[in-house]
């Protein structure tokens, strides 16, 4: 046993040392050009025979050795500047002793001959041989580093070392090799072979260099770009040419959209090459490896087409500096799917895409990725996870919503891309660039959204005001977060429905005040009836929404909010709106139910415009299982014992206490310990529903309501007004916020002051909210300036 333990310890140490070396390696050269010559004539043999010439500049004085990356391919010989060079190999590296010492700026021309069977990554990527096809997919999702150029040629395999490329690929007659860049004339090779020549004039990192070999024909087109005409090549077998034209019918639309939003397309050529890959595509520069299943003659996969194309701005042109910031590549490319839909099909298609991503993140990201993560600084194993792709997309959307000016947002995207074109960038670089345009609120957004895990959930506490102005007081609840910046602003959309059932969606900026509450102020015509946050997604919040006009008695499955209901009486149409909050519901401490622990994981809000005869039953399913990544993980924190202790609670509004719902049937699953089951309620009501768990330790004493009041007069104000403080107040602060959510006045007071006189003559006419806060609590007052 001791021997086995020692061997295991040695393996762990070696693995740790290898990872440390990879992380800390400082390369002594900068490769500026690769010339790759590869023989891929015998595809069925699954072997590669190649030579590569690397042109590099020396970065340090006294350089006499260097390390290159090459994965399990056998090197036959190495020359440096025409001289035979001593070398040694490990499984993944090639070590060269140069024979003499070089200084900064010297040029090296390193020629390497190699052969072998190129490797596949354990999860995704590598070099594939399949039928008539040989091709590479440039990342290794389970490898360290994730760059995977080293699986088929010697290189410095990281994101920061960029170079131009030449390819000379020899194939059998009847086959074609398609690579990055522009094609040069094909030349004959020995034994009835052909050598295909391609040259890429732009510098790229190793992982997006590409070769694909099959019985290709080229479908050639030209795109009239912002600055020039750009050739397009779609490489497929002859039988797929009709399908590829149909499946890429919106390619020009995507190009026009992305050039308009992010600036000119910078690469020599626009290209897609069909490959028999079954798990997505790869954004090789100007030569995207695209799965044959997506070339089916339909528009089904056009967002995949758009995603890979958009990498020519996010990833290929501006590349993430590290794998931990992969959201800068994949998150923004995922967001570009929504941008494409918006450009081609309109804003509703964009909103639908964002809403589906919101559900995916809130429901599944922490399950699939093994926990709640920030999008910046993800662990290596989650480099290509749901947080990076889908939450990364929502972060780009949220930044756009925060800016709240599309022209300014996309112009800033353009200038960011122009600044870092053919370079690498980090989250801090993106933050700095947007901060330079929009100020310090960008820091609060990055601190709370980009660098911190979990999510926020803005919940309405109170809606006040009538006629021309509405004030919403909200609470920002959080789920597995560490940071909510005190300067964080939340830009979202509020739906106001008046007494006649007419709704209007309004963008609202919510500002945080001293006690952590958020205030949003905005104008509205007509008496308000209800307010809803989240029907349209602004900056990402922890709520999903589903709504529909319902008529008849058919089962309604609202999968986006994890609820189903069946109308019992519904002769006329009723508008049903349900929200699923992935956070604990806010409530005043005095309303905490004694002996019941309320779920910190989720709750439902049920609302809508129901006809007077509307009645419905509903299923509230619980699932606290954790043994699958495709189910459960919803109530596992709440259910800590037998399901007999579970209850369903209801309240009509946030100003009411939760009470146990009794008009229901409790239906546990196979047993009372399997953590699955449901509550079948007989009469669905408007309001909030949440699961609770009977727990004597959850008892909390009620807190008496604060009876204090303040007086403000005259109201409306005629330019001056007086605020009388409540008796026996402590020292504190007064703030005034206008209808746009802007802080227009702030002042401190001490415990001996009785009143405050204020001058409002310079303020715009309209509604304002005054916030009085001391150590005893907070009081708000609405007033008007004329």
């Amino acid at each position: 046993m001791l021997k086995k333990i020692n061997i295991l310890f040695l393996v762990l140490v070696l693995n740790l040392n290898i990872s440390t070396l990879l992380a800390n390696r400082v390369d002594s050269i900068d490769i500026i050009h690769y010339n790759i010559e590869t023989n891929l004539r015998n595809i069925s043999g699954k072997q590669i025979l190649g030579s590569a010439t690397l042109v590099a500049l020396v970065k340090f004085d006294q350089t006499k050795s260097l390390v290159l990356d090459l994965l399990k391919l056998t090197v036959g010989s190495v020359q440096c500047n025409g001289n035979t060079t001593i070398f040694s190999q490990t499984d993944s590296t090639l070590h060269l002793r140069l024979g003499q010492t070089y200084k900064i700026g010297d040029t090296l021309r390193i020629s390497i001959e190699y052969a072998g069977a190129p490797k596949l990554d354990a999860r995704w990527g590598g070099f594939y041989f399949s039928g008539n096809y040989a091709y590479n997919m440039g990342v290794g999702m389970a490898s360290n580093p994730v760059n995977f150029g080293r699986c088929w040629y010697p290189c410095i395999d990281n994101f920061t070392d960029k170079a131009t490329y030449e390819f000379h690929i020899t194939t059998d007659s009847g086959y074609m090799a398609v690579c990055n860049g522009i094609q040069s004339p094909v030349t004959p090779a020995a034994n009835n072979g052909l050598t295909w020549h391609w040259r890429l004039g732009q510098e790229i990192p190793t992982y997006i260099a590409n070769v694909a070999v099959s019985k290709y024909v080229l479908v050639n087109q030209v795109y009239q770009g912002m600055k020039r005409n750009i050739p397009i090549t779609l490489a497929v077998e002859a039988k797929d040419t009709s399908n590829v034209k149909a499946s890429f019918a919106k390619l020009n639309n995507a190009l026009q959209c992305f050039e308009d939003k992010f600036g000119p397309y910078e690469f020599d050529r626009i290209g897609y090459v069909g490959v028999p890959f079954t798990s997505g595509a790869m954004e090789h520069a100007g030569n995207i490896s695209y799965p044959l299943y997506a070339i089916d003659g339909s528009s089904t996969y056009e967002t995949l087409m758009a995603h890979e194309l958009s990498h020519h701005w996010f990833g290929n042109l501006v590349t993430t500096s590290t794998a931990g910031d992969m959201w800068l590549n994949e998150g923004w490319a995922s967001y570009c799917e929504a941008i494409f839909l918006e450009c081609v099909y309109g804003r509703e298609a964009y909103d639908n895409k964002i809403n589906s991503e919101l559900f995916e993140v809130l429901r599944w990201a922490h399950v699939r990725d093994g926990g709640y993560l920030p999008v910046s600084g993800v662990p290596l194993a989650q480099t290509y996870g749901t947080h990076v792709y889908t939450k990364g997309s929502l972060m780009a959307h949220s930044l756009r919503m925060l800016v709240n000016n599309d022209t300014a947002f996309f112009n800033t995207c353009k200038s960011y891309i122009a600044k870092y074109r053919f370079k690498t960038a980090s989250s801090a670089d993106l933050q700095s660039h947007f901060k330079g345009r929009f100020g310090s609120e960008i820091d609060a957004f990055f601190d709370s959204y980009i660098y911190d895990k979990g999510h926020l959930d803005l919940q309405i506490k109170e809606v006040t005001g009538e006629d021309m102005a509405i004030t919403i007081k909200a609470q920002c609840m959080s789920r597995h977060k560490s940071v909510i910046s005190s300067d964080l602003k939340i830009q979202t959309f509020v739906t106001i429905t008046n007494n006649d059932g007419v709704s209007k969606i309004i963008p609202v900026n919510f500002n945080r005040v001293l006690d952590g509450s958020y205030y949003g102020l905005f104008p509205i015509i007509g008496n308000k009836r209800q307010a809803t946050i989240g029907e349209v997604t602004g900056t990402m919040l922890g709520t999903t929404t589903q709504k529909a006009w319902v008529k008849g008695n058919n089962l309604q499955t609202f999968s986006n909010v994890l609820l189903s209901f069946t109308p019992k009486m519904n002769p006329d149409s009723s508008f049903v709106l349900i929200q699923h909050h992935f956070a604990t519901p806010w409530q005043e401490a005095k309303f905490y139910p004694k002996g019941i622990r309320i779920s910190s994981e989720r709750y439902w809000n049920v609302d809508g415009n129901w006809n007077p005869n509307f009645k419905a039953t509903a299923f509230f399913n619980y699932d606290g299982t954790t043994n699958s990544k495709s189910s459960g993980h919803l109530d596992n924190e709440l259910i800590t014992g037998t399901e007999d202790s579970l209850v369903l609670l209801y309240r009509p509004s946030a100003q009411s206490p939760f009470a146990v719902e009794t008009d229901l049937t409790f239906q546990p699953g196979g047993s009372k310990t399997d953590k699955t089951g449901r509550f079948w309620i007989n009469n669905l009501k408007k309001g909030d529903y949440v699961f609770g768990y009977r727990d004597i330790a959850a008892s909390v004493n009620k807190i008496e309501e604060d009876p204090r009041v303040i007086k403000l007069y005259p109201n409306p104000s005629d330019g001056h007004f007086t605020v009388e403080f409540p008796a026996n107040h402590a020292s504190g602060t007064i703030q005034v916020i206008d209808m746009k959510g802007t802080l227009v006045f702030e002042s401190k007071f001490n415990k001996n002051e009785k009143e405050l006189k204020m001058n409002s003559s310079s303020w715009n006419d309209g509604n304002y909210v005054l916030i009085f806060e001391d150590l005893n609590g907070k009081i708000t007052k609405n007033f008007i300036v004329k």
Side-chain angles (χ1 to χ4, degrees):
M1 179 62 73
L2 182 61
K3 181 178 181 181
K4 290 182 179 180
I5 292 174
N6 287 337
I7 291 172
L8 177 60
F9 176 75
L10 178 60
V11 169
L12 290 172
V13 169
L14 288 173
N15 286 337
L16 177 63
N17 289 339
I18 290 170
S19 297
T20 302
L21 287 171
L22 287 169
N24 298 329
R25 191 175 99 189
V26 177
D27 293 300
S28 56
I29 59 172
D30 172 22
I31 300 176
I32 59 174
H33 184 72
Y34 289 91
N35 190 329
I36 299 173
E37 299 183 18
T38 302
N39 187 316
L40 287 170
R41 297 191 64 168
N42 182 15
I43 291 178
S44 62
K46 299 183 179 181
Q47 296 283 315
I48 193 169
L49 176 64
S51 66
T53 299
L54 288 54
V55 180
L57 299 177
V58 176
K59 294 167 61 175
F60 303 105
D61 284 334
Q62 302 298 313
T63 293
K64 52 188 175 182
S65 63
L66 57 92
V67 179
L68 299 173
D69 299 296
L70 187 65
L71 182 62
K72 294 187 177 180
L73 293 173
T74 302
V75 173
S77 66
V78 179
Q79 288 193 337
C80 180
N81 290 346
N83 298 317
T84 300
T85 301
I86 297 173
F87 66 90
S88 61
Q89 285 187 263
T90 69
D91 276 352
S92 59
T93 56
L94 174 63
H95 299 255
L96 308 183
R97 294 174 58 187
L98 300 179
Q100 68 180 78
T101 301
Y102 292 91
K103 63 181 184 299
I104 295 175
D106 284 347
T107 299
L108 303 182
R109 188 176 182 88
I110 305 166
S111 298
I112 303 165
E113 293 185 351
Y114 57 97
K119 301 301 177 184
L120 296 177
D121 179 72
R123 175 180 166 194
W124 194 104
F127 204 100
Y128 293 81
F129 296 93
S130 177
N132 291 327
Y133 292 85
Y135 60 96
N136 77 294
M137 304 294 275
V139 298
M141 290 189 177
S143 297
N144 184 9
V146 296
N147 316 67
F148 224 46
R150 64 188 180 278
C151 78
W152 70 286
Y153 67 98
C155 56
I156 292 179
D157 216 9
N158 61 32
F159 293 114
T160 59
D161 197 89
K162 296 189 175 187
T164 57
Y165 281 78
E166 282 182 81
F167 303 90
H168 309 274
I169 311 297
T170 301
T171 70
D172 287 328
S173 178
Y175 287 76
M176 181 180 188
V178 186
C179 302
N180 311 84
I182 298 296
Q183 184 182 6
S184 299
V186 62
T187 58
N191 300 319
N192 199 32
L194 297 171
T195 299
W196 304 86
H197 306 275
W198 298 82
R199 182 179 181 92
L200 177 68
Q202 294 78 42
E203 293 185 342
I204 61 171
T206 52
Y207 75 102
I208 49 175
N210 175 236
V211 61
V213 173
S214 191
K215 296 181 178 182
Y216 290 122
V217 297
L218 302 182
V219 177
N220 294 307
Q221 302 171 358
V222 175
Y223 168 69
Q224 295 181 355
M226 291 180 67
K227 292 185 174 181
R228 60 193 172 96
N229 289 341
I230 308 170
I232 298 175
T233 60
L234 307 176
V236 292
E237 291 189 351
K239 63 183 176 62
D240 294 321
T241 54
S242 295
N243 279 349
V244 80
K245 291 176 184 178
S247 290
F248 283 79
K250 296 291 194 302
L251 176 57
N252 278 13
N253 300 78
L255 284 159
Q256 291 164 4
C257 177
F258 296 152
E259 282 205 324
D260 175 63
K261 304 298 185 187
F262 307 121
Y265 184 90
E266 297 273 14
F267 292 87
D268 287 332
R269 174 174 62 90
I270 299 154
Y272 291 76
V273 56
V275 295
F277 194 65
T278 59
S279 301
M282 181 64 208
E283 66 270 18
H284 304 119
N287 201 52
I288 296 164
S289 292
Y290 200 71
L292 294 177
Y293 68 76
I295 305 173
D296 62 356
S298 76
S299 61
T300 302
Y301 299 97
E302 61 185 6
T303 53
L304 176 62
M305 172 198 72
H307 177 110
E308 302 306 328
L309 177 67
S310 72
H311 274 303
H312 288 76
W313 289 265
F314 298 99
N316 298 359
L317 188 58
V318 180
T319 310
T320 177
S321 301
T322 65
D325 266 342
M326 186 56 69
W327 82 281
L328 296 175
N329 289 17
E330 296 297 350
W332 279 82
S334 296
Y335 181 56
C336 284
E337 297 178 37
I339 295 294
F340 164 77
L341 292 172
E342 182 180 14
C343 287
V344 176
Y345 300 107
R347 184 65 185 220
E348 184 178 358
Y350 170 94
D351 287 336
N352 290 339
K353 173 69 171 174
I354 294 299
N355 287 336
S356 68
E357 290 183 342
L358 180 61
F359 178 81
E360 183 179 356
V361 168
L362 295 174
R363 177 70 182 94
W364 295 115
H366 64 288
V367 178
R368 294 170 181 167
D369 291 346
Y372 291 85
L373 304 173
V375 295
S376 178
V378 295
L380 182 67
Q382 283 75 37
T383 301
Y384 294 96
T386 304
H387 282 85
V388 166
Y389 280 81
T390 315
K391 189 174 182 181
S393 172
L394 289 173
M395 295 301 94
H397 163 81
S398 297
L399 184 57
R400 178 183 178 183
M401 295 298 103
L402 178 69
V403 168
N404 197 25
N405 182 317
D406 273 4
T407 299
F409 172 77
F410 286 114
N411 283 343
T412 307
C413 289
K414 288 178 185 176
S415 59
Y416 161 76
I417 288 169
K419 179 177 180 179
Y420 292 101
R421 61 190 290 273
F422 298 113
K423 299 176 183 176
T424 58
S426 65
S427 291
D429 293 325
L430 181 68
Q431 175 184 355
S432 176
H433 194 81
F434 269 80
K435 181 181 179 181
R437 175 66 176 81
F438 301 108
S440 59
E441 67 182 47
I442 297 299
D443 287 341
F445 172 81
F446 270 74
D447 288 343
S448 298
Y449 272 83
I450 304 301
Y451 302 132
D452 193 31
K453 63 183 179 178
H455 57 262
L456 307 173
D457 186 40
L458 194 66
Q459 301 174 13
I460 294 176
K461 295 165 67 174
E462 185 179 9
V463 182
T464 57
E466 299 289 342
D467 298 326
M468 296 297 294
I470 298 293
T471 302
I472 290 184
K473 182 180 180 182
Q475 187 68 36
C476 200
M477 307 299 285
S478 66
R479 176 93 175 127
H480 287 277
K481 285 195 71 63
S482 304
V483 177
I484 304 178
S485 171
S486 59
D487 297 324
L488 180 66
K489 294 182 179 180
I490 297 175
Q491 178 66 37
T492 190
F493 293 87
V494 174
T495 303
I496 294 292
T497 305
N498 66 20
N499 293 332
D500 298 323
V502 178
S503 295
K504 187 175 183 180
I505 297 176
I506 302 172
V508 179
N509 188 15
F510 282 84
N511 289 275
R512 194 179 188 195
V513 293
L514 293 178
D515 72 342
S517 295
Y518 277 77
Y519 277 80
L521 293 87
F522 50 94
I524 183 67
I525 296 174
N527 291 330
K528 60 101 171 89
R529 185 182 67 81
Q530 64 185 38
T532 304
I533 295 173
E535 280 193 60
V536 177
T537 303
T539 48
M540 178 190 164
L541 299 174
T543 305
T544 59
T545 302
Q546 191 160 346
K547 56 189 176 180
W549 284 95
V550 176
K551 185 177 182 179
N553 300 69
N554 293 328
L555 173 68
Q556 303 292 319
T557 301
F558 277 23
S559 56
N560 210 47
V561 293
L562 304 174
L563 185 69
S564 60
F565 63 94
T566 303
K568 295 187 293 184
M569 297 176 60
N570 191 33
D572 300 313
S573 293
S574 293
F575 178 69
V576 180
L577 184 148
I578 301 175
Q579 294 188 306
H580 187 284
H581 294 258
F582 287 83
T584 192
W586 172 85
Q587 60 179 333
E588 293 187 57
K590 65 181 179 180
F591 288 155
Y592 288 168
K594 284 189 176 182
I596 296 177
R597 177 163 42 88
I598 286 181
S599 173
S600 63
E601 297 167 273
R602 60 181 180 140
Y603 77 98
W604 292 265
N605 173 259
V606 179
D607 210 330
N609 185 12
W610 300 355
N611 74 65
N613 296 317
F614 180 84
K615 302 290 183 183
T617 60
F619 295 120
F620 289 84
N621 297 311
Y622 61 88
D623 191 340
T625 60
T626 58
N627 55 355
S628 170
K629 290 193 174 183
S630 59
S631 64
H633 300 271
L634 285 168
D635 309 293
N636 47 293
E637 295 174 18
L638 177 69
I639 304 172
T640 55
T642 176
E643 293 160 44
D644 283 337
S645 297
L646 273 173
V647 293
L648 181 67
L649 303 170
Y650 167 78
R651 68 181 180 187
S653 71
Q655 289 77 45
S656 305
F658 275 109
V660 175
E661 178 65 43
T662 58
D663 187 16
L664 55 73
T665 301
F666 176 46
Q667 298 178 316
S671 72
K672 293 182 179 180
T673 58
D674 66 2
K675 298 188 177 183
T676 62
R678 65 185 181 182
F679 291 91
W680 181 358
I681 68 170
N682 298 317
N683 184 23
L684 184 66
K685 296 170 287 190
K686 293 181 182 179
D688 297 331
Y689 291 89
V690 66
F691 292 132
Y693 198 82
R694 295 190 185 278
D695 185 347
I696 193 64
S699 297
V700 177
N701 292 329
K702 289 187 177 181
I703 298 175
E704 295 299 323
E705 189 172 354
D706 187 350
R708 301 185 306 160
V709 295
I710 58 174
K711 295 180 180 180
L712 185 152
Y713 55 90
N715 187 11
S717 166
D718 57 1
H720 295 81
F721 60 93
T722 301
V723 181
E724 289 186 3
F725 300 163
N728 301 319
H729 67 82
S731 299
T733 303
I734 280 183
Q735 295 179 322
V736 176
I737 299 172
D738 68 12
M739 285 195 301
K740 296 180 180 178
T742 303
L743 181 68
V744 298
F745 178 85
E746 185 173 26
S747 178
K748 294 182 178 180
F749 57 85
N750 63 52
K751 64 181 181 179
N752 297 318
E753 293 180 80
K754 303 299 182 184
E755 64 180 27
L756 176 67
K757 296 186 181 296
M758 302 176 67
N759 184 342
S760 60
S761 59
S762 64
W763 301 354
N764 295 328
D765 290 353
N767 278 55
Y768 292 77
V769 60
L770 181 143
I771 306 166
F772 173 97
E773 184 166 22
D774 64 5
L775 294 176
N776 298 316
K778 183 175 58 174
I779 310 168
T780 63
K781 191 80 171 179
N782 286 50
F783 66 100
I784 300 173
V785 172
K786 289 188 175 179

